[in-house]
């Protein structure tokens, strides 16, 4: 058995590659002694390269597996976020376009609609626009429109405030 050792930075020797051979000696029934020499056929240089390549393949396999599984995790996370965003978009649409209707606030129906039109969201938005006659906006766009309408109305009409406690606003009791 031959081996090659490498001295590391710490000064300790460690085994890098090993060439091994096995000699079998056997005795036949007629008294004849036979020998057989078996090796894996690698020299020390070949064994060193093989060990290095197997280590690289091991780490490449681990890295590839992490990327594969991580890709599915990221895809699942993104799909769930998009699903929830579209569900909120449908709920906001029904709230503003058809208030107090059967579908206003019905999250199960909104989730079903988004699931039914998965991959065909443009068809869902066109269908809702055709049915109700209003463009489909994102949930946060509806809130901006309401604030703009309130500001426009607030500028035109002055709100009257009534002093309910009877004080003159000076804070004295």
């Amino acid at each position: 058995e031959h081996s090659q050792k490498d001295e590391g930075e710490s000064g300790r020797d460690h085994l890098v590659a090993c060439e091994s051979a096995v000699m079998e000696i056997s005795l036949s029934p007629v008294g004849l002694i036979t020998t057989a020499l078996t090796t894996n056929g690698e020299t020390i240089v070949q064994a060193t390269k093989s060990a290095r390549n197997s280590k690289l393949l091991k780490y490449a396999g681990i890295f590839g597996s992490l990327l594969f599984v991580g890709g599915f995790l990221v895809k699942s996370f993104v799909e769930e976020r998009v699903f929830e965003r579209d569900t909120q978009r449908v709920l906001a649409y029904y709230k503003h376009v058809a208030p107090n209707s059967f579908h206003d606030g019905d999250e199960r129906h909104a989730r079903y609609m988004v699931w039914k039109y998965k991959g065909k969201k443009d068809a869902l938005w066109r269908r809702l626009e055709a049915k109700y006659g209003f463009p489909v906006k994102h949930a946060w766009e509806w809130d901006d429109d309401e604030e703009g309408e309130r500001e426009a109305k607030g500028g035109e009409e002055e709100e009257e405030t009534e002093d309910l406690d009877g004080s003159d606003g000076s804070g004295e009791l």
Side-chain angles (χ1 to χ4, degrees):
E1 182 171 308
H2 291 84
S3 64
Q4 180 179 355
K5 294 186 178 186
D6 185 26
E7 246 185 72
E9 294 176 5
S10 64
R12 295 185 326 190
D13 292 342
H14 64 279
L15 194 62
V16 174
C18 183
E19 177 184 5
S20 63
V22 176
M23 177 180 262
E24 295 177 10
I25 301 174
S26 61
L27 182 62
S28 68
V30 288
L32 188 63
I33 297 176
T34 59
T35 61
L37 184 63
T38 6
T39 67
N40 59 2
E42 287 185 333
T43 64
I44 292 178
V45 173
Q46 290 171 334
T48 304
K49 287 181 183 177
S50 175
R52 187 179 310 128
N53 288 340
S54 67
K55 188 179 262 188
L56 288 174
L57 285 175
K58 174 185 164 186
Y59 288 121
I62 291 171
F63 183 70
S65 298
L66 287 174
L67 283 178
F68 184 73
V69 171
F72 280 111
L73 290 174
V74 169
K75 180 182 178 222
S76 175
F77 176 76
V78 168
E79 284 179 351
E80 184 65 27
R81 295 282 302 220
V82 168
F83 185 80
E84 290 300 322
R85 181 198 64 201
D86 290 339
T87 301
Q88 293 303 319
R89 188 174 182 184
V90 170
L91 285 171
Y93 185 76
Y94 280 132
K95 179 181 177 185
H96 291 89
V97 172
N100 300 324
S101 72
F102 182 71
H103 298 300
D104 179 25
D106 186 6
E107 190 171 346
R108 284 180 97 191
H109 176 72
R111 292 176 69 82
Y112 171 73
M113 293 289 287
V114 171
W115 172 81
K116 182 178 175 183
Y117 286 92
K118 183 178 181 181
K120 307 175 276 184
K121 301 253 174 45
D122 292 335
L124 172 63
W125 309 140
R126 283 194 309 269
R127 179 178 172 259
L128 288 172
E129 287 175 5
K131 183 174 182 179
Y132 293 103
F134 288 98
V136 179
K137 300 177 184 178
H138 289 279
W140 65 86
E141 291 174 332
W142 288 107
D143 295 337
D144 292 343
D145 287 348
E146 283 181 359
E147 289 174 8
E149 290 173 10
R150 286 183 195 142
E151 289 174 4
K153 288 180 184 177
E156 294 172 6
E157 300 174 5
E158 233 178 83
E159 290 186 26
E160 292 183 24
T161 58
E162 183 179 339
D163 189 12
L164 298 175
D165 62 354
S167 66
D168 60 354
S170 62
E172 295 178 17
L173 296 176

